[in-house]
Amino acid sequence: MSSRNSHSVNILETPFSTVTSNGHWFHATRDTVNKYVPGLLKKYSYEDLITKSVTWIDSADSIAMLLYFALAFTVNPWIAIITAPLFHYWWYHNKSAFVNIPFLTVVNLINKDLFQLLIAAVALSFMGISGMYLAVSFGILYFFLFKVSLLRRLWDKLDQSSKKDKLPLNDRVLKMVLIKYALYENMPPVEIERLENHVRQAVIDFNTKKKK
């Protein structure tokens, strides 16, 4: 077991998985990537790949928050109130399909605490001055929910009761990050497919052990 730090993300590696300081769990390790995508870690560090995956995972909270504030000023407040959590659910469960490496720079910016605090402070202040009290109330609520990732934790809880043999959402994002870099480096996608099968089997084995 080893603990490593990359940027602001603390990474704890066990022989079978990787866990980050903000609670993101991956059923893959440095050795897994070396085995199924040989050569990739010579070009990109494992910490960097995990950090990029976490950045994209956290985008659900950041984008949903910005969407709420944008809609609150342009449409009926109730539309913004309903749309934000629905979008969060949809994006969180489908974000792996939209992984875009160049766009990660933008996502990393909107994930920053300072950026989100600035946007929330300006938006909530203007809402208060304009008498948008309903929007202010839900703005404060959603800011809290998204900042501490409570909705993400709720979705994760609900997903635990679904099929146990599905590739977990975090591992889907990591897989897509690996695919993007593998294709960029002209590495065979078949290795990525083997990685997915390996991770899926690791999830099945993990869930089987928990039942014993």
Side-chain angles (χ1 to χ4, degrees):
M1 182 181 296
S2 62
S3 180
R4 304 173 188 273
N5 181 274
S6 177
H7 304 289
S8 61
V9 178
N10 290 305
I11 298 173
L12 176 67
E13 290 182 61
T14 76
F16 311 103
S17 61
T18 300
V19 185
T20 70
S21 55
N22 44 8
H24 296 299
W25 188 294
F26 299 89
H27 292 82
T29 65
R30 183 185 308 271
D31 291 339
T32 306
V33 178
N34 267 328
K35 180 177 180 181
Y36 294 102
V37 198
L40 187 62
L41 293 185
K42 293 180 180 179
K43 300 178 179 294
Y44 308 97
S45 72
Y46 183 65
E47 291 86 354
D48 192 41
L49 295 173
I50 290 294
T51 299
K52 284 179 167 54
S53 300
V54 169
T55 296
W56 199 259
I57 292 168
D58 289 342
S59 68
D61 293 323
S62 304
I63 296 176
M65 183 189 301
L66 294 180
L67 177 64
Y68 172 77
F69 286 128
L71 290 178
F73 285 111
T74 56
V75 299
N76 184 288
W78 283 111
I79 295 178
I81 291 167
I82 295 172
T83 300
L86 289 178
F87 173 83
H88 186 281
Y89 180 87
W90 176 82
W91 181 263
Y92 186 65
H93 287 82
N94 296 279
K95 60 187 176 296
S96 60
F98 303 100
V99 170
N100 185 301
I101 300 303
F103 192 61
L104 273 170
T105 302
V106 177
V107 175
N108 187 54
L109 172 64
I110 66 175
N111 282 352
K112 298 290 187 184
D113 289 340
L114 181 59
F115 178 85
Q116 294 177 13
L117 286 170
L118 180 62
I119 293 296
V122 172
L124 292 173
S125 297
F126 190 81
M127 287 176 181
I129 294 173
S130 303
M132 303 168 62
Y133 302 121
L134 179 63
V136 168
S137 299
F138 275 90
I140 295 172
L141 174 63
Y142 283 162
F143 179 78
F144 172 75
L145 290 177
F146 294 141
K147 279 304 299 175
V148 299
S149 299
L150 283 183
L151 283 182
R152 172 175 65 83
R153 298 175 194 278
L154 174 61
W155 307 149
D156 286 341
K157 276 288 185 183
L158 295 177
D159 288 341
Q160 287 178 4
S161 61
S162 61
K163 294 181 180 179
K164 303 295 184 179
D165 59 342
K166 291 196 304 183
L167 194 66
L169 296 174
N170 288 357
D171 292 302
R172 290 186 207 174
V173 173
L174 177 59
K175 184 195 76 170
M176 290 306 299
V177 168
L178 295 177
I179 286 177
K180 297 293 184 178
Y181 281 115
L183 292 176
Y184 180 77
E185 298 295 340
N186 294 317
M187 296 180 177
V190 65
E191 300 295 343
I192 301 294
E193 294 176 10
R194 292 176 58 205
L195 171 62
E196 179 175 345
N197 293 333
H198 171 83
V199 171
R200 184 178 286 110
Q201 186 59 50
V203 174
I204 295 174
D205 293 343
F206 178 76
N207 290 323
T208 301
K209 289 178 181 178
K210 286 202 303 184
K211 292 179 179 179
K212 293 182 179 179

